[in-house]
Amino acid sequence: MKELLKLNDDPRVHGVYLHLPPAALTNRVLNSLKPEKDVDGISDWNTGKLVRGPLSTGFVPPLASAVLHLLENQEDSLEGKTVLLVGGESPFRLVLQCLIERRGMVTAKSHWDSKNAVVLLDAGNVDIPPNWGRLGVVMICFGSLVLSSLHSLFSFIVRQNVVRSCTRWLQEQQYKPWRLRSLKLQPLTPVPSDLQISRAQTAKPVNHLAEEIGLLPEELEVYGRSKAKVRLSLLERLNSQPDGKYVLVAGVTPTPLGEGKSTVTIGLVQALSAHLNLNSFACLRQPSQGPTFGIKGGAAGGGYAQVIPMEEFNLHLTGDIHAITAANNLVAAAIDARMLHEATQSDKALFSRLVPSVNGVRRFSPIQISRLRRLGIIKSDPSSLSPEEVNSFVRLDLDPEKITWHRVVDTNDRFLRKITIGQASTEKGLTRETGFDIAVASEIMAILALADSMEDMKSRLGRMVVGTSRSGTPVTAEDLGVSGALAVLMKDAIKPTLMQTLEGTPVFVHAGPFANIAHGNSSVLADKLALKLVGEDGFVVTEAGFGADIGMEKFFNIKCRASGLRPNAVVLVATIRALKMHGGGPSVSAGAPLPTEYISENLNLVSGGCQSNLKKQIQNAQQFGVPVVVAINVFRTDTPAEIDLVCQLAKECGAFDAVPCHHWMQGGRGAVELAQAVKEATSKPSYFQFLYDLQMPIVEKIRTIAKRIYGADDIDVSAEAQRKIDYYHEQGYSTLPICMAKTHLSLSHLPERKGAPTGFVLPIRDVRASVGAGFIYPLVGTMSTMPGLPTRACFYDIDIDPITEEISGLF
Amino acid sequence: MKELLKLNDDPRVHGVYLHLPPAALTNRVLNSLKPEKDVDGISDWNTGKLVRGPLSTGFVPPLASAVLHLLENQEDSLEGKTVLLVGGESPFRLVLQCLIERRGMVTAKSHWDSKNAVVLLDAGNVDIPPNWGRLGVVMICFGSLVLSSLHSLFSFIVRQNVVRSCTRWLQEQQYKPWRLRSLKLQPLTPVPSDLQISRAQTAKPVNHLAEEIGLLPEELEVYGRSKAKVRLSLLERLNSQPDGKYVLVAGVTPTPLGEGKSTVTIGLVQALSAHLNLNSFACLRQPSQGPTFGIKGGAAGGGYAQVIPMEEFNLHLTGDIHAITAANNLVAAAIDARMLHEATQSDKALFSRLVPSVNGVRRFSPIQISRLRRLGIIKSDPSSLSPEEVNSFVRLDLDPEKITWHRVVDTNDRFLRKITIGQASTEKGLTRETGFDIAVASEIMAILALADSMEDMKSRLGRMVVGTSRSGTPVTAEDLGVSGALAVLMKDAIKPTLMQTLEGTPVFVHAGPFANIAHGNSSVLADKLALKLVGEDGFVVTEAGFGADIGMEKFFNIKCRASGLRPNAVVLVATIRALKMHGGGPSVSAGAPLPTEYISENLNLVSGGCQSNLKKQIQNAQQFGVPVVVAINVFRTDTPAEIDLVCQLAKECGAFDAVPCHHWMQGGRGAVELAQAVKEATSKPSYFQFLYDLQMPIVEKIRTIAKRIYGADDIDVSAEAQRKIDYYHEQGYSTLPICMAKTHLSLSHLPERKGAPTGFVLPIRDVRASVGAGFIYPLVGTMSTMPGLPTRACFYDIDIDPITEEISGLF
């Protein structure tokens, strides 16, 4: 009774469903519950008749049906509310316990969607943990209210009904076979513009697509009609579901025009799902908005292998990059503000502001406790700190010359590459030189791509090193007190975005880190979700940036290490154009017309390219023990003899298979041969292994990549690089994997050396670390992290019709 | 027949429904249509039997039912497709024509959602305009295929059925009475934290809320569960619906702590809708994310008058501010890139890049044609320009000293207030001093708030002046070629975001321009949509930033001028605290404890505040002819005698009514008295008038505001300000309204002068213009457009539980 009264006043309890035998329904009980909290009226368990109830007259379903009812039908009025179901004892509890253990809720491991949340507390425990307020139907059985007679009276009927409803509910949680309705394509000749093709097709409403691939409605957060975020709770629901096959699309060393890895990725899933009727998912990187308005235009694939609607894909999408920008720049603002505050305040003033007295009490926040721990101060009472401890706590003492953190914008703004900040008089002369990068170059983007849970992301964000103190200690985002806020800013960004291909097959778009200073692969989480969704016989196709020597190597050594996932096959994309270039053809550059070698048959050049670059990249994949399928992305000017030659030579060089692809002109139908080859390749066992052991010294890891992947004779480490390596070793970062920042236009560090260069020594100019993301990146050249705008940028042609809202000029 | 074949090859036509009398169904006709384009098979009109059809056997509904069917049931397969309905003549056409004219489609005025789009073309006209590709079911009757006998045979059945289906469809388009289900509140004492209150309540799924208030599903773009964007097509659907009552919430001159206008706004709608059962909408500003992590914390109201979920309201929301940031910074990048390109290229090189030869043809883009027109060059052939014309076309010749455009971030980053950019060697020494503002200070935010359609927004974006050329000509965003891209970036931001209050009543959150350098009011579009939705007897409550001398004055003179809307009442919010301050109480500052005068009864001070500031602000509202209801936002320490005194004096000073409000502690129930007073006040006629005529000289407009609203004796215009005024006059900007940038802490320009100061001359230090937004803003002091972070910023306490995803530390 006391508990009941307590519930009346608990704002987190929105309703109570009281189910008791008649003997227990004394007036005292009947009147104890506030009418507002009475869900269905207090009912007589025996007849199911309503004893008292403001909402309805007549029959109230028996207890177990009510549970079912609550779970399934009451979403309108009870959704997300905390409803206590009072009464019932062990059988009921046991069944629920079993149910709950299946979902892992007892250990509160997951975020559950409100609709299906079921929480069981032990008898007598009526304290609802504060963070359960958002959970849905909370059922609490507590013994103190339950009369002893209750047990036997209830047991049979309750057991039957609860078991039945729980079974049904558990069924809903199982893996669901796909019922994918693919969209028909009628490719036109000549192939219209990407935007025209995208617009001529109508995307399925994304919630329909989600239903087709077995997502539960509560796992989906729809953003408009064509995009939706998918909740990570899916990973737990399908925890016991075996993963599908994991396929990486990489490429030969490309020409500056790109060889079409994205279109192959999309064409391949279109073929698998829409033509071979196999479940498949493409996992793609989100493009930066900067180049969309600069030189490059859109990045949603091309021709009849695209993600649609392409304008949604290329613009804000679901705001992930904006969230990264906000988080990145909050760190930057915190750095400079902190330096100003430290420069202008005494230790005491800083301490009294950082640990303010609230109603006469000073308390450390959890984030400050973490910093104290790192400083080796195991105290929790602010007044107990010695002056030295106060000093080391309040002073990050950042060295302005050694701040590595840059601000970011998702705009091609070259004038922000190098700037001086703090020139207003309010900043008291604390000017310093720094710069902006494009948003996707932020370490936070790399973290988003590598995190495998909210918890993991949050701790990586806290570990990010923003600079070093004057005494040489790394200063982290957590030291700045900002790591919780960063996780809050990134809470939606961590969920992958679901979209679809032109043929209506599912796509995840998630994260798009740079492929030089970062690892250039889409997110671990999207791959993991997709691998569960496609089921054991399905396929997840993901793409690595740049050529295989960079994107694929990082995929294996960095991304697969972070995720624990093991790839089943590599698709190596080649174009006749790129192979001719590697075979000794004249140089290719963007904007200039292609030399005739590239538009008429030249078997010699093709052969040269196959024997050099293609062969080396096939071997590179094989060093990781994964079978390779070569996909020739066919252009109109390629001749049958050229294509046949590549197929033949690729197989001679060790490829499992080699096939031409016509997805750009034909959509999935044009990539059916590739899909079949991939299916075949993944049915074979794969013997995946990493290239290097993390315990190797940093220099040895770099040397291994340079020699075995690039074909270098050795590496040449500059003094500056060596100094940094020693420092990272000292700081305990030496077991991080290596993320090479090298040109993608050659296997070597010299862009003009095509084919498979040998006899070179790879210079390591400098070495940096992304400690939060978890890799060390040696710089092999100068990497631009902020593009510029050309004289006539894309934006000149981009427009929107204010009446129809049709966008033009994206391509 | 020719037309039919043409349709076969038109990629925009996804299906054809061919309905002809048997005589016309020759084999030639039957075979002319590609099977893929045949929607239901070619049917015999007379029997309804299927003549040929890949999809189904048996009965095909007669023509009109088919129309209905297409419109209503086929959304899954036909949604968004272009379907031509071939056949039928005048009666059918006339009915449809009538239907279409009701929707204005013939003149293609609106964006229609795919599901309900119906388009009728005249006989013989089979050219589908390219921008109709996204419309839904397009029915085209063209006479050439229709046999003369068709007319009489069809007329009866067609008329009946089509009329019936059209009637039903038209009914769907009508205004729908609300069926609002309010959420129950059980306020606790003491009042828990804002976040606790917000979390204890469960928001209705936003699509349920939308349905309750009569929105059509196709007018909604849901973002997750609790937020949705509302399409502007609503304005057209409810075009003939009379507006509801329009209520502005303004305040007396506030203390630095704020007097609770937002909570009053929210409490008032909670009272109107949840307690008086009257339709109402609150229209609020979107808060900047910067202060959320800085000093201020959240801004979703407070106590039991809040927008929920407050964490969604305070974080990214639906990305509008991020879109503004992206658009603003694209302009900035375009400015500096353009200066670099102009500095390093000849006229000829610039021209050949700006107007590139594509397949041997040079063509101006529409945006370039506009620039040519502004330059007075009426030519469209690039080769016909004289060298002088080329020079003036390619050279914006921006004066680096006179660029007024700043970059923005939505972060409190004080070190960006003044910076030097372009210091990397790639920028060739073209360094210049500039700065960043907080994102909401962008002119694009002011434009979003004032635009009344996509078209209007786009043209305002194009008109924005970013600086002047060396010869003194204003340079606009359109001159930079970027205005189309800006509109594309802002295409979703223009749609208001629907959320709800703690009691489940609807709220629009849209735009949040600065209240000093901009007009500080939420968007015109949100108000317009809300006024239609609430219906004739409903209420729209919107809030103006700062005190009534600033926010309200700008609401009337700037926002109401832009919108054409006329307010019915002003709610003037006062606190006993603020009135005591104006009555001579000691100064109040954030962070410091309140002096005892403010927490114990002091009728003298209260009376003094009423007779000075309150009285003047009531009179200010009355100058616009609008009745004033004074709302006393009651605090725990206020005494009944103090409250009674304010009520009495406010009425003596001319208020229509004055009532105490307890919404913070009690939610809507605590604001019922206010709601009744507002209802009463709006039932009286209002005689709204502007304070000044736009044709008055700039100086006179400023003087009018200073004397009549602030109580100044006169204004003192600096030489610099006068120079600018003359320049703006010269450029034709002198008919813009005035947006004063003055402190909000006093009616005068001196923050310490409380009450209703007199005997002062208002100094006009400088004058600037937001030409795109459409106002001139005189600077009466130094306005900070970039806040900083305090030593212990809010972010120290902000965190997220990685398991439950519960956020803590927002308040």
Side-chain angles (χ1 to χ4, degrees), chain A residues 126-137:
Chain A
V126 288
D127 283 321
I128 308 168
N131 53 11
W132 290 10
R134 257 167 139 187
L135 295 177
V137 180

Side-chain angles (χ1 to χ4, degrees), chain B residues 17 19 40 60-71 85:
Chain B
Y17 190 99
H19 205 105
D40 253 354
V60 172
L63 177 61
S65 314
V67 175
L68 183 63
H69 192 61
L70 288 174
L71 283 175
L85 197 60

Side-chain angles (χ1 to χ4, degrees), chain B residues 667-808:
Chain B
R669 193 177 301 281
V672 165
E673 208 184 332
L674 173 63
Q676 269 153 343
V678 165
K679 188 183 167 199
E680 196 65 29
T682 55
S683 69
K684 303 281 177 278
S686 134
Y687 305 96
F688 177 73
Q689 55 182 15
F690 296 117
L691 188 74
Y692 54 80
D693 193 284
L694 288 183
Q695 301 305 321
M696 282 164 65
I698 293 174
V699 168
E700 286 315 307
K701 285 186 272 199
I702 300 173
R703 184 172 284 128
T704 303
I705 296 170
K707 291 173 78 168
R708 291 186 51 195
I709 301 293
Y710 306 159
D713 286 347
D714 201 353
I715 57 174
D716 176 15
V717 181
S718 75
E720 173 66 8
Q722 189 57 55
R723 204 185 55 70
K724 293 278 197 62
I725 290 171
D726 295 343
Y727 174 74
Y728 293 144
H729 180 75
E730 218 171 87
Q731 295 297 333
Y733 304 150
S734 61
T735 57
L736 293 175
I738 303 299
C739 184
M740 299 296 286
K742 179 183 81 73
T743 177
H744 59 298
L745 296 172
S746 168
L747 277 158
S748 76
H749 57 290
L750 303 162
E752 63 283 5
R753 294 200 61 185
K754 305 300 181 185
T758 51
F760 64 94
V761 172
L762 193 80
I764 306 299
R765 191 170 63 80
D766 196 359
V767 176
R768 298 194 188 146
S770 284
V771 177
F775 51 72
I776 283 179
Y777 60 104
L779 297 179
V780 183
T782 321
M783 296 298 142
S784 168
T785 47
M786 174 57 89
L789 290 171
T791 305
R792 184 188 163 109
C794 292
F795 57 66
Y796 270 95
D797 300 296
I798 295 173
D799 206 352
I800 184 166
D801 181 323
I803 308 301
T804 62
E805 292 186 21
E806 293 249 311
I807 293 174
S808 54

Side-chain angles (χ1 to χ4, degrees), chain B residues 219-422:
Chain B
E219 287 163 349
L220 208 65
E221 293 173 5
V222 170
Y223 280 60
R225 292 180 66 77
S226 53
K227 303 167 291 187
K229 285 201 164 281
V230 174
R231 295 194 176 160
L232 305 186
S233 59
L234 173 74
L235 281 181
E236 264 174 75
R237 176 170 67 87
L238 299 182
N239 189 25
S240 55
Q241 167 70 17
D243 284 352
K245 305 289 186 188
Y246 195 28
V247 178
L248 177 75
V249 175
V252 299
T253 300
T255 70
L257 313 175
E259 308 317 306
K261 289 194 305 291
S262 300
T263 62
V264 169
T265 304
I266 298 165
L268 175 55
V269 293
Q270 289 182 187
L272 285 164
S273 291
H275 299 273
L276 300 186
N277 214 13
L278 295 163
N279 293 357
S280 77
F281 235 107
C283 292
L284 301 175
R285 291 166 292 168
Q286 180 186 358
S288 164
Q289 217 168 246
T292 303
F293 295 100
I295 280 197
K296 195 172 158 224
Y304 285 100
Q306 283 192 56
V307 179
I308 56 170
M310 71 95 89
E311 55 270 45
E312 300 293 323
F313 180 89
N314 281 305
L315 296 171
H316 312 286
L317 200 72
T318 48
D320 296 354
I321 295 182
H322 294 321
I324 288 168
T325 304
N328 184 96
N329 293 346
L330 181 60
V331 176
I335 291 170
D336 285 299
R338 180 62 173 251
M339 289 199 295
L340 175 74
H341 294 308
E342 288 189 25
T344 53
Q345 294 176 42
S346 68
D347 285 5
K348 208 179 142 202
L350 277 172
F351 190 74
S352 100
R353 289 209 174 89
L354 284 170
V355 192
S357 165
V358 178
N359 301 324
V361 183
R362 293 190 193 273
R363 226 182 243 124
F364 291 119
S365 76
I367 222 164
Q368 293 177 326
I369 298 269
S370 298
R371 171 160 168 78
L372 287 171
R373 293 291 166 277
R374 271 196 306 286
L375 294 171
I377 303 169
I378 315 296
K379 295 183 176 173
S380 57
D381 175 9
S383 66
S384 68
L385 265 59
S386 70
E388 292 71 32
E389 287 171 337
V390 165
N391 176 275
S392 65
F393 172 72
V394 300
R395 299 222 170 256
L396 304 182
D397 197 27
L398 271 159
D399 182 342
E401 303 290 316
K402 295 206 174 140
I403 291 170
T404 50
W405 196 259
H406 272 199
R407 289 167 175 83
V408 301
V409 280
D410 197 23
T411 310
N412 287 9
D413 195 349
R414 53 189 292 168
F415 276 75
L416 296 180
R417 284 170 183 160
K418 197 170 179 187
I419 64 174
T420 298
I421 61 168

